[in-house]
Every structure is written in structure tokens, then in C-alpha cells.
Amino acid sequence: MSQENVEVVRRLWAALDEDPPRLLLEVIDEDVEIRNPPEFPLQGPFRGHEGTRLWFRESWEVFTGPHHELEEVIDVGDGATVISVQRIQGRTRHMQLETNLRWAAVWTFRAGKVLRAQGYMNRREALEAAGLEEEAIARENVALGKSLYPCGDPGGRRNIGKKKPRAWRGPERRARSATQ
């Protein structure tokens, strides 16, 4: 059931990014509960299909020409939970401010339909909420390592015991020739 749930999340975001956006109530449980991140102006909870319609109307009313980009979908592995990381871009309707917001959601499924959707301001919060705190920390450590060692080789360990690349030998030869 996990892969099917991942596909439902992908379909939901794709439908919301259409022009005009569509709401796929056929994949949403009648007992659904939707909550935006606490930092969002529209927090919820929004319950049932009517609440889902209200969430949809009020959320899309805020933006002019919103574009959603689904960046990542993670199957938590329990058969019922999926995490999505998405970006919304557009302009706020009333103040015409550019918006480019990356946020995450934890989706809980029952019988192949969305039972709960909880928004979070970032990926790590969503991973922690889904019980994947260790994965969140591990991925942050990998990202930190990559930022510190962009070549992916901290300390040059891959070159230990190997000939130096030709570009590195040239100046050494010149230096030896000058001293001999």
C-alpha cells in the first residue's frame, strides 16, 4: 500500500498545480483532518470533505497564480504514512508580494485515502513528526559534510598512496630542477 500512497500524494499536488487547480476528493477520506503549519495564517483544523473544500478555497484565495513544485516524497515504511516536501511560488493576492516557500507535510492514509495531512515549516520537523528523527539528523550531517568538503573527499584520503595527478607533479619537478 505504501507505493500507492506515494502516488496519491503525487496526484494531489499535480492536480493542485493545474490551471485551474483541482481538488481530488475521491482520494480523501470523509473523516479527513487537515492542519497547516502553526506559522501559516490558515491553521485549521479543516475536517471532512467540506473542511477540505474550505481549506482549498481559503488557501488558494491568498495567492495569485500559485505554482506548486513537489520536491520530494518519502515513504515512511509503515504502510500508512508519507512525507512530502514542496515549494509554493506566486504572489500574495492583496499585497502582491513574491512568495517562494518550501514546506513539508505528513500524510496519513486509511484504506488508500488521505485521513490526515499535517503541515510543517521544514523537512526536518516533518521527519521528526513521522518518527524519522535519526534520518533527519543523518541527512543534515551528510549535507553539512558536503558543504564543508565540496569535492566529497575530506582530507584527500582517496589520494593516499596514489600517484599525484600530473598537474600536481609539474611544479615539484621544476622546484627539484632549480635546486639541483
Side-chain angles (χ1 to χ4, degrees), residues 106-140:
V106 175
W107 305 79
T108 307
F109 287 81
R110 177 172 70 187
K113 293 186 175 189
V114 176
L115 179 63
R116 182 171 166 78
Q118 172 65 58
Y120 295 91
M121 287 304 292
N122 59 57
R123 183 181 187 278
R124 182 179 179 155
E125 288 177 4
L127 287 168
E128 288 174 357
L132 298 178
E133 183 174 1
E134 291 173 11
E135 182 178 331
I137 292 169
R139 286 187 183 223
E140 278 187 4

PDB file of all heavy atoms in Angstrom, residues 106-140:
ATOM      1  N   VAL A 106       3.083  15.769   6.507  1.00  0.00           N
ATOM      2  CA  VAL A 106       2.995  14.346   6.829  1.00  0.00           C
ATOM      3  C   VAL A 106       1.569  13.922   6.507  1.00  0.00           C
ATOM      4  O   VAL A 106       0.604  14.510   7.012  1.00  0.00           O
ATOM      5  CB  VAL A 106       3.330  14.070   8.311  1.00  0.00           C
ATOM      6  CG1 VAL A 106       3.108  12.597   8.646  1.00  0.00           C
ATOM      7  CG2 VAL A 106       4.764  14.481   8.621  1.00  0.00           C
ATOM      8  N   TRP A 107       1.439  12.933   5.660  1.00  0.00           N
ATOM      9  CA  TRP A 107       0.156  12.412   5.198  1.00  0.00           C
ATOM     10  C   TRP A 107      -0.075  11.055   5.844  1.00  0.00           C
ATOM     11  O   TRP A 107       0.789  10.188   5.784  1.00  0.00           O
ATOM     12  CB  TRP A 107       0.162  12.231   3.691  1.00  0.00           C
ATOM     13  CG  TRP A 107       0.509  13.452   2.904  1.00  0.00           C
ATOM     14  CD1 TRP A 107       1.760  13.965   2.686  1.00  0.00           C
ATOM     15  CD2 TRP A 107      -0.387  14.312   2.236  1.00  0.00           C
ATOM     16  NE1 TRP A 107       1.683  15.095   1.908  1.00  0.00           N
ATOM     17  CE2 TRP A 107       0.379  15.326   1.613  1.00  0.00           C
ATOM     18  CE3 TRP A 107      -1.769  14.328   2.070  1.00  0.00           C
ATOM     19  CZ2 TRP A 107      -0.184  16.337   0.856  1.00  0.00           C
ATOM     20  CZ3 TRP A 107      -2.335  15.327   1.314  1.00  0.00           C
ATOM     21  CH2 TRP A 107      -1.551  16.325   0.715  1.00  0.00           C
ATOM     22  N   THR A 108      -1.246  10.866   6.428  1.00  0.00           N
ATOM     23  CA  THR A 108      -1.614   9.572   6.995  1.00  0.00           C
ATOM     24  C   THR A 108      -2.779   9.025   6.177  1.00  0.00           C
ATOM     25  O   THR A 108      -3.729   9.751   5.882  1.00  0.00           O
ATOM     26  CB  THR A 108      -2.024   9.712   8.470  1.00  0.00           C
ATOM     27  OG1 THR A 108      -0.975  10.388   9.173  1.00  0.00           O
ATOM     28  CG2 THR A 108      -2.259   8.357   9.107  1.00  0.00           C
ATOM     29  N   PHE A 109      -2.693   7.735   5.838  1.00  0.00           N
ATOM     30  CA  PHE A 109      -3.688   7.099   4.970  1.00  0.00           C
ATOM     31  C   PHE A 109      -4.468   6.019   5.705  1.00  0.00           C
ATOM     32  O   PHE A 109      -3.958   5.387   6.629  1.00  0.00           O
ATOM     33  CB  PHE A 109      -2.992   6.460   3.762  1.00  0.00           C
ATOM     34  CG  PHE A 109      -2.513   7.465   2.763  1.00  0.00           C
ATOM     35  CD1 PHE A 109      -1.325   8.144   2.958  1.00  0.00           C
ATOM     36  CD2 PHE A 109      -3.245   7.738   1.631  1.00  0.00           C
ATOM     37  CE1 PHE A 109      -0.879   9.077   2.038  1.00  0.00           C
ATOM     38  CE2 PHE A 109      -2.817   8.668   0.700  1.00  0.00           C
ATOM     39  CZ  PHE A 109      -1.626   9.343   0.906  1.00  0.00           C
ATOM     40  N   ARG A 110      -5.698   5.848   5.254  1.00  0.00           N
ATOM     41  CA  ARG A 110      -6.537   4.733   5.698  1.00  0.00           C
ATOM     42  C   ARG A 110      -7.234   4.202   4.451  1.00  0.00           C
ATOM     43  O   ARG A 110      -7.906   4.967   3.755  1.00  0.00           O
ATOM     44  CB  ARG A 110      -7.561   5.209   6.735  1.00  0.00           C
ATOM     45  CG  ARG A 110      -8.519   4.095   7.174  1.00  0.00           C
ATOM     46  CD  ARG A 110      -9.381   4.514   8.330  1.00  0.00           C
ATOM     47  NE  ARG A 110     -10.361   5.531   7.910  1.00  0.00           N
ATOM     48  CZ  ARG A 110     -11.153   6.169   8.772  1.00  0.00           C
ATOM     49  NH1 ARG A 110     -11.068   5.940  10.073  1.00  0.00           N
ATOM     50  NH2 ARG A 110     -12.026   7.067   8.331  1.00  0.00           N
ATOM     51  N   ALA A 111      -7.031   2.928   4.189  1.00  0.00           N
ATOM     52  CA  ALA A 111      -7.660   2.270   3.030  1.00  0.00           C
ATOM     53  C   ALA A 111      -7.401   3.027   1.726  1.00  0.00           C
ATOM     54  O   ALA A 111      -8.284   3.195   0.898  1.00  0.00           O
ATOM     55  CB  ALA A 111      -9.154   2.081   3.269  1.00  0.00           C
ATOM     56  N   GLY A 112      -6.173   3.526   1.563  1.00  0.00           N
ATOM     57  CA  GLY A 112      -5.795   4.182   0.321  1.00  0.00           C
ATOM     58  C   GLY A 112      -6.247   5.622   0.165  1.00  0.00           C
ATOM     59  O   GLY A 112      -6.059   6.215  -0.890  1.00  0.00           O
ATOM     60  N   LYS A 113      -6.844   6.199   1.226  1.00  0.00           N
ATOM     61  CA  LYS A 113      -7.300   7.594   1.164  1.00  0.00           C
ATOM     62  C   LYS A 113      -6.627   8.412   2.269  1.00  0.00           C
ATOM     63  O   LYS A 113      -6.305   7.891   3.328  1.00  0.00           O
ATOM     64  CB  LYS A 113      -8.815   7.674   1.325  1.00  0.00           C
ATOM     65  CG  LYS A 113      -9.572   7.063   0.159  1.00  0.00           C
ATOM     66  CD  LYS A 113     -11.053   7.297   0.306  1.00  0.00           C
ATOM     67  CE  LYS A 113     -11.794   6.804  -0.921  1.00  0.00           C
ATOM     68  NZ  LYS A 113     -13.202   7.210  -0.887  1.00  0.00           N
ATOM     69  N   VAL A 114      -6.474   9.705   2.001  1.00  0.00           N
ATOM     70  CA  VAL A 114      -5.852  10.604   2.979  1.00  0.00           C
ATOM     71  C   VAL A 114      -6.787  10.762   4.177  1.00  0.00           C
ATOM     72  O   VAL A 114      -7.933  11.189   4.031  1.00  0.00           O
ATOM     73  CB  VAL A 114      -5.556  11.988   2.368  1.00  0.00           C
ATOM     74  CG1 VAL A 114      -5.001  12.937   3.431  1.00  0.00           C
ATOM     75  CG2 VAL A 114      -4.604  11.866   1.192  1.00  0.00           C
ATOM     76  N   LEU A 115      -6.294  10.406   5.355  1.00  0.00           N
ATOM     77  CA  LEU A 115      -7.059  10.560   6.593  1.00  0.00           C
ATOM     78  C   LEU A 115      -6.619  11.817   7.351  1.00  0.00           C
ATOM     79  O   LEU A 115      -7.405  12.460   8.026  1.00  0.00           O
ATOM     80  CB  LEU A 115      -6.882   9.326   7.483  1.00  0.00           C
ATOM     81  CG  LEU A 115      -7.603   9.341   8.819  1.00  0.00           C
ATOM     82  CD1 LEU A 115      -9.121   9.402   8.611  1.00  0.00           C
ATOM     83  CD2 LEU A 115      -7.227   8.116   9.637  1.00  0.00           C
ATOM     84  N   ARG A 116      -5.349  12.156   7.218  1.00  0.00           N
ATOM     85  CA  ARG A 116      -4.805  13.307   7.935  1.00  0.00           C
ATOM     86  C   ARG A 116      -3.671  13.910   7.114  1.00  0.00           C
ATOM     87  O   ARG A 116      -2.870  13.199   6.521  1.00  0.00           O
ATOM     88  CB  ARG A 116      -4.295  12.870   9.299  1.00  0.00           C
ATOM     89  CG  ARG A 116      -3.744  13.977  10.151  1.00  0.00           C
ATOM     90  CD  ARG A 116      -3.462  13.453  11.574  1.00  0.00           C
ATOM     91  NE  ARG A 116      -2.651  14.345  12.359  1.00  0.00           N
ATOM     92  CZ  ARG A 116      -3.080  15.436  12.941  1.00  0.00           C
ATOM     93  NH1 ARG A 116      -4.329  15.796  12.835  1.00  0.00           N
ATOM     94  NH2 ARG A 116      -2.275  16.182  13.652  1.00  0.00           N
ATOM     95  N   ALA A 117      -3.606  15.228   7.095  1.00  0.00           N
ATOM     96  CA  ALA A 117      -2.499  15.946   6.472  1.00  0.00           C
ATOM     97  C   ALA A 117      -2.084  17.049   7.438  1.00  0.00           C
ATOM     98  O   ALA A 117      -2.890  17.903   7.798  1.00  0.00           O
ATOM     99  CB  ALA A 117      -2.915  16.539   5.131  1.00  0.00           C
ATOM    100  N   GLN A 118      -0.844  16.978   7.887  1.00  0.00           N
ATOM    101  CA  GLN A 118      -0.318  17.950   8.845  1.00  0.00           C
ATOM    102  C   GLN A 118       0.880  18.647   8.223  1.00  0.00           C
ATOM    103  O   GLN A 118       1.839  17.993   7.816  1.00  0.00           O
ATOM    104  CB  GLN A 118       0.114  17.254  10.138  1.00  0.00           C
ATOM    105  CG  GLN A 118       0.848  18.150  11.124  1.00  0.00           C
ATOM    106  CD  GLN A 118      -0.017  19.264  11.683  1.00  0.00           C
ATOM    107  OE1 GLN A 118      -1.047  19.004  12.281  1.00  0.00           O
ATOM    108  NE2 GLN A 118       0.399  20.502  11.494  1.00  0.00           N
ATOM    109  N   GLY A 119       0.828  19.969   8.116  1.00  0.00           N
ATOM    110  CA  GLY A 119       1.913  20.742   7.538  1.00  0.00           C
ATOM    111  C   GLY A 119       2.969  21.112   8.558  1.00  0.00           C
ATOM    112  O   GLY A 119       2.679  21.277   9.752  1.00  0.00           O
ATOM    113  N   TYR A 120       4.202  21.245   8.078  1.00  0.00           N
ATOM    114  CA  TYR A 120       5.348  21.655   8.894  1.00  0.00           C
ATOM    115  C   TYR A 120       6.168  22.658   8.099  1.00  0.00           C
ATOM    116  O   TYR A 120       6.160  22.636   6.870  1.00  0.00           O
ATOM    117  CB  TYR A 120       6.215  20.441   9.264  1.00  0.00           C
ATOM    118  CG  TYR A 120       5.477  19.470  10.149  1.00  0.00           C
ATOM    119  CD1 TYR A 120       4.756  18.418   9.597  1.00  0.00           C
ATOM    120  CD2 TYR A 120       5.446  19.642  11.524  1.00  0.00           C
ATOM    121  CE1 TYR A 120       4.034  17.544  10.403  1.00  0.00           C
ATOM    122  CE2 TYR A 120       4.734  18.770  12.338  1.00  0.00           C
ATOM    123  CZ  TYR A 120       4.033  17.729  11.763  1.00  0.00           C
ATOM    124  OH  TYR A 120       3.315  16.875  12.559  1.00  0.00           O
ATOM    125  N   MET A 121       6.866  23.515   8.781  1.00  0.00           N
ATOM    126  CA  MET A 121       7.621  24.567   8.111  1.00  0.00           C
ATOM    127  C   MET A 121       8.870  24.051   7.398  1.00  0.00           C
ATOM    128  O   MET A 121       9.411  24.716   6.537  1.00  0.00           O
ATOM    129  CB  MET A 121       8.017  25.674   9.096  1.00  0.00           C
ATOM    130  CG  MET A 121       6.852  26.541   9.508  1.00  0.00           C
ATOM    131  SD  MET A 121       5.983  27.294   8.116  1.00  0.00           S
ATOM    132  CE  MET A 121       7.211  28.422   7.501  1.00  0.00           C
ATOM    133  N   ASN A 122       9.333  22.854   7.773  1.00  0.00           N
ATOM    134  CA  ASN A 122      10.513  22.328   7.090  1.00  0.00           C
ATOM    135  C   ASN A 122      10.525  20.802   7.124  1.00  0.00           C
ATOM    136  O   ASN A 122       9.745  20.165   7.826  1.00  0.00           O
ATOM    137  CB  ASN A 122      11.809  22.907   7.690  1.00  0.00           C
ATOM    138  CG  ASN A 122      11.954  22.596   9.155  1.00  0.00           C
ATOM    139  OD1 ASN A 122      11.938  21.438   9.558  1.00  0.00           O
ATOM    140  ND2 ASN A 122      12.100  23.636   9.975  1.00  0.00           N
ATOM    141  N   ARG A 123      11.422  20.251   6.364  1.00  0.00           N
ATOM    142  CA  ARG A 123      11.548  18.807   6.184  1.00  0.00           C
ATOM    143  C   ARG A 123      11.879  18.108   7.491  1.00  0.00           C
ATOM    144  O   ARG A 123      11.346  17.047   7.802  1.00  0.00           O
ATOM    145  CB  ARG A 123      12.647  18.583   5.143  1.00  0.00           C
ATOM    146  CG  ARG A 123      12.877  17.167   4.770  1.00  0.00           C
ATOM    147  CD  ARG A 123      14.020  17.124   3.735  1.00  0.00           C
ATOM    148  NE  ARG A 123      14.179  15.813   3.207  1.00  0.00           N
ATOM    149  CZ  ARG A 123      14.850  14.852   3.817  1.00  0.00           C
ATOM    150  NH1 ARG A 123      15.426  15.082   4.979  1.00  0.00           N
ATOM    151  NH2 ARG A 123      14.955  13.657   3.272  1.00  0.00           N
ATOM    152  N   ARG A 124      12.797  18.678   8.240  1.00  0.00           N
ATOM    153  CA  ARG A 124      13.230  18.039   9.488  1.00  0.00           C
ATOM    154  C   ARG A 124      12.056  17.875  10.466  1.00  0.00           C
ATOM    155  O   ARG A 124      11.900  16.827  11.091  1.00  0.00           O
ATOM    156  CB  ARG A 124      14.362  18.819  10.145  1.00  0.00           C
ATOM    157  CG  ARG A 124      14.820  18.125  11.405  1.00  0.00           C
ATOM    158  CD  ARG A 124      15.946  18.814  12.095  1.00  0.00           C
ATOM    159  NE  ARG A 124      16.258  18.052  13.296  1.00  0.00           N
ATOM    160  CZ  ARG A 124      17.400  18.064  13.867  1.00  0.00           C
ATOM    161  NH1 ARG A 124      18.389  18.775  13.370  1.00  0.00           N
ATOM    162  NH2 ARG A 124      17.611  17.359  14.958  1.00  0.00           N
ATOM    163  N   GLU A 125      11.254  18.917  10.624  1.00  0.00           N
ATOM    164  CA  GLU A 125      10.093  18.820  11.517  1.00  0.00           C
ATOM    165  C   GLU A 125       9.159  17.696  11.078  1.00  0.00           C
ATOM    166  O   GLU A 125       8.638  16.959  11.910  1.00  0.00           O
ATOM    167  CB  GLU A 125       9.317  20.142  11.544  1.00  0.00           C
ATOM    168  CG  GLU A 125      10.002  21.258  12.278  1.00  0.00           C
ATOM    169  CD  GLU A 125       9.214  22.569  12.216  1.00  0.00           C
ATOM    170  OE1 GLU A 125       8.090  22.589  11.662  1.00  0.00           O
ATOM    171  OE2 GLU A 125       9.726  23.578  12.713  1.00  0.00           O
ATOM    172  N   ALA A 126       8.948  17.571   9.775  1.00  0.00           N
ATOM    173  CA  ALA A 126       8.071  16.516   9.260  1.00  0.00           C
ATOM    174  C   ALA A 126       8.678  15.139   9.519  1.00  0.00           C
ATOM    175  O   ALA A 126       7.974  14.216   9.937  1.00  0.00           O
ATOM    176  CB  ALA A 126       7.818  16.722   7.769  1.00  0.00           C
ATOM    177  N   LEU A 127       9.979  14.989   9.279  1.00  0.00           N
ATOM    178  CA  LEU A 127      10.636  13.702   9.541  1.00  0.00           C
ATOM    179  C   LEU A 127      10.532  13.327  11.016  1.00  0.00           C
ATOM    180  O   LEU A 127      10.234  12.176  11.356  1.00  0.00           O
ATOM    181  CB  LEU A 127      12.104  13.754   9.119  1.00  0.00           C
ATOM    182  CG  LEU A 127      12.378  13.738   7.620  1.00  0.00           C
ATOM    183  CD1 LEU A 127      13.828  14.078   7.342  1.00  0.00           C
ATOM    184  CD2 LEU A 127      12.014  12.397   7.012  1.00  0.00           C
ATOM    185  N   GLU A 128      10.765  14.293  11.881  1.00  0.00           N
ATOM    186  CA  GLU A 128      10.668  14.030  13.317  1.00  0.00           C
ATOM    187  C   GLU A 128       9.244  13.634  13.709  1.00  0.00           C
ATOM    188  O   GLU A 128       9.038  12.701  14.484  1.00  0.00           O
ATOM    189  CB  GLU A 128      11.130  15.245  14.115  1.00  0.00           C
ATOM    190  CG  GLU A 128      12.628  15.462  14.045  1.00  0.00           C
ATOM    191  CD  GLU A 128      13.087  16.747  14.715  1.00  0.00           C
ATOM    192  OE1 GLU A 128      12.230  17.522  15.205  1.00  0.00           O
ATOM    193  OE2 GLU A 128      14.307  16.978  14.740  1.00  0.00           O
ATOM    194  N   ALA A 129       8.258  14.328  13.153  1.00  0.00           N
ATOM    195  CA  ALA A 129       6.859  14.031  13.473  1.00  0.00           C
ATOM    196  C   ALA A 129       6.474  12.627  13.014  1.00  0.00           C
ATOM    197  O   ALA A 129       5.634  11.976  13.635  1.00  0.00           O
ATOM    198  CB  ALA A 129       5.938  15.064  12.828  1.00  0.00           C
ATOM    199  N   ALA A 130       7.111  12.158  11.948  1.00  0.00           N
ATOM    200  CA  ALA A 130       6.818  10.823  11.423  1.00  0.00           C
ATOM    201  C   ALA A 130       7.685   9.748  12.081  1.00  0.00           C
ATOM    202  O   ALA A 130       7.628   8.590  11.691  1.00  0.00           O
ATOM    203  CB  ALA A 130       7.012  10.811   9.915  1.00  0.00           C
ATOM    204  N   GLY A 131       8.489  10.149  13.068  1.00  0.00           N
ATOM    205  CA  GLY A 131       9.326   9.180  13.767  1.00  0.00           C
ATOM    206  C   GLY A 131      10.631   8.874  13.070  1.00  0.00           C
ATOM    207  O   GLY A 131      11.257   7.855  13.347  1.00  0.00           O
ATOM    208  N   LEU A 132      11.064   9.737  12.176  1.00  0.00           N
ATOM    209  CA  LEU A 132      12.314   9.522  11.450  1.00  0.00           C
ATOM    210  C   LEU A 132      13.372  10.541  11.868  1.00  0.00           C
ATOM    211  O   LEU A 132      14.132  11.029  11.045  1.00  0.00           O
ATOM    212  CB  LEU A 132      12.075   9.608   9.940  1.00  0.00           C
ATOM    213  CG  LEU A 132      11.119   8.575   9.363  1.00  0.00           C
ATOM    214  CD1 LEU A 132      10.939   8.803   7.870  1.00  0.00           C
ATOM    215  CD2 LEU A 132      11.600   7.163   9.626  1.00  0.00           C
ATOM    216  N   GLU A 133      13.443  10.835  13.154  1.00  0.00           N
ATOM    217  CA  GLU A 133      14.377  11.841  13.653  1.00  0.00           C
ATOM    218  C   GLU A 133      15.818  11.487  13.316  1.00  0.00           C
ATOM    219  O   GLU A 133      16.606  12.344  12.925  1.00  0.00           O
ATOM    220  CB  GLU A 133      14.224  11.998  15.163  1.00  0.00           C
ATOM    221  CG  GLU A 133      15.107  13.088  15.739  1.00  0.00           C
ATOM    222  CD  GLU A 133      14.818  13.324  17.210  1.00  0.00           C
ATOM    223  OE1 GLU A 133      13.961  12.656  17.783  1.00  0.00           O
ATOM    224  OE2 GLU A 133      15.479  14.192  17.775  1.00  0.00           O
ATOM    225  N   GLU A 134      16.182  10.206  13.443  1.00  0.00           N
ATOM    226  CA  GLU A 134      17.554   9.803  13.151  1.00  0.00           C
ATOM    227  C   GLU A 134      17.897  10.060  11.691  1.00  0.00           C
ATOM    228  O   GLU A 134      18.985  10.503  11.369  1.00  0.00           O
ATOM    229  CB  GLU A 134      17.751   8.332  13.500  1.00  0.00           C
ATOM    230  CG  GLU A 134      17.700   8.074  14.989  1.00  0.00           C
ATOM    231  CD  GLU A 134      17.732   6.590  15.334  1.00  0.00           C
ATOM    232  OE1 GLU A 134      17.995   5.769  14.437  1.00  0.00           O
ATOM    233  OE2 GLU A 134      17.491   6.273  16.501  1.00  0.00           O
ATOM    234  N   GLU A 135      16.949   9.781  10.790  1.00  0.00           N
ATOM    235  CA  GLU A 135      17.179  10.041   9.368  1.00  0.00           C
ATOM    236  C   GLU A 135      17.345  11.530   9.119  1.00  0.00           C
ATOM    237  O   GLU A 135      18.183  11.958   8.342  1.00  0.00           O
ATOM    238  CB  GLU A 135      16.036   9.497   8.523  1.00  0.00           C
ATOM    239  CG  GLU A 135      16.270   9.715   7.042  1.00  0.00           C
ATOM    240  CD  GLU A 135      15.174   9.146   6.172  1.00  0.00           C
ATOM    241  OE1 GLU A 135      14.530   8.162   6.559  1.00  0.00           O
ATOM    242  OE2 GLU A 135      14.987   9.707   5.081  1.00  0.00           O
ATOM    243  N   ALA A 136      16.544  12.334   9.814  1.00  0.00           N
ATOM    244  CA  ALA A 136      16.639  13.787   9.647  1.00  0.00           C
ATOM    245  C   ALA A 136      18.019  14.273  10.053  1.00  0.00           C
ATOM    246  O   ALA A 136      18.650  15.059   9.352  1.00  0.00           O
ATOM    247  CB  ALA A 136      15.564  14.487  10.484  1.00  0.00           C
ATOM    248  N   ILE A 137      18.520  13.791  11.170  1.00  0.00           N
ATOM    249  CA  ILE A 137      19.836  14.205  11.664  1.00  0.00           C
ATOM    250  C   ILE A 137      20.930  13.686  10.731  1.00  0.00           C
ATOM    251  O   ILE A 137      21.856  14.411  10.386  1.00  0.00           O
ATOM    252  CB  ILE A 137      20.038  13.723  13.105  1.00  0.00           C
ATOM    253  CG1 ILE A 137      19.070  14.488  14.028  1.00  0.00           C
ATOM    254  CG2 ILE A 137      21.488  13.910  13.552  1.00  0.00           C
ATOM    255  CD1 ILE A 137      18.972  13.928  15.421  1.00  0.00           C
ATOM    256  N   ALA A 138      20.806  12.429  10.292  1.00  0.00           N
ATOM    257  CA  ALA A 138      21.811  11.850   9.400  1.00  0.00           C
ATOM    258  C   ALA A 138      21.894  12.637   8.100  1.00  0.00           C
ATOM    259  O   ALA A 138      22.988  12.930   7.614  1.00  0.00           O
ATOM    260  CB  ALA A 138      21.484  10.391   9.121  1.00  0.00           C
ATOM    261  N   ARG A 139      20.749  12.994   7.524  1.00  0.00           N
ATOM    262  CA  ARG A 139      20.763  13.750   6.270  1.00  0.00           C
ATOM    263  C   ARG A 139      21.354  15.143   6.468  1.00  0.00           C
ATOM    264  O   ARG A 139      22.035  15.661   5.604  1.00  0.00           O
ATOM    265  CB  ARG A 139      19.364  13.839   5.679  1.00  0.00           C
ATOM    266  CG  ARG A 139      18.934  12.526   5.063  1.00  0.00           C
ATOM    267  CD  ARG A 139      17.635  12.694   4.336  1.00  0.00           C
ATOM    268  NE  ARG A 139      17.201  11.425   3.808  1.00  0.00           N
ATOM    269  CZ  ARG A 139      16.708  11.282   2.605  1.00  0.00           C
ATOM    270  NH1 ARG A 139      16.562  12.320   1.833  1.00  0.00           N
ATOM    271  NH2 ARG A 139      16.329  10.102   2.187  1.00  0.00           N
ATOM    272  N   GLU A 140      21.073  15.745   7.621  1.00  0.00           N
ATOM    273  CA  GLU A 140      21.668  17.058   7.896  1.00  0.00           C
ATOM    274  C   GLU A 140      23.180  16.942   8.004  1.00  0.00           C
ATOM    275  O   GLU A 140      23.911  17.786   7.526  1.00  0.00           O
ATOM    276  CB  GLU A 140      21.091  17.644   9.185  1.00  0.00           C
ATOM    277  CG  GLU A 140      19.769  18.311   8.997  1.00  0.00           C
ATOM    278  CD  GLU A 140      19.297  19.024  10.247  1.00  0.00           C
ATOM    279  OE1 GLU A 140      20.029  19.063  11.248  1.00  0.00           O
ATOM    280  OE2 GLU A 140      18.175  19.541  10.206  1.00  0.00           O
TER     281      GLU A 140
END
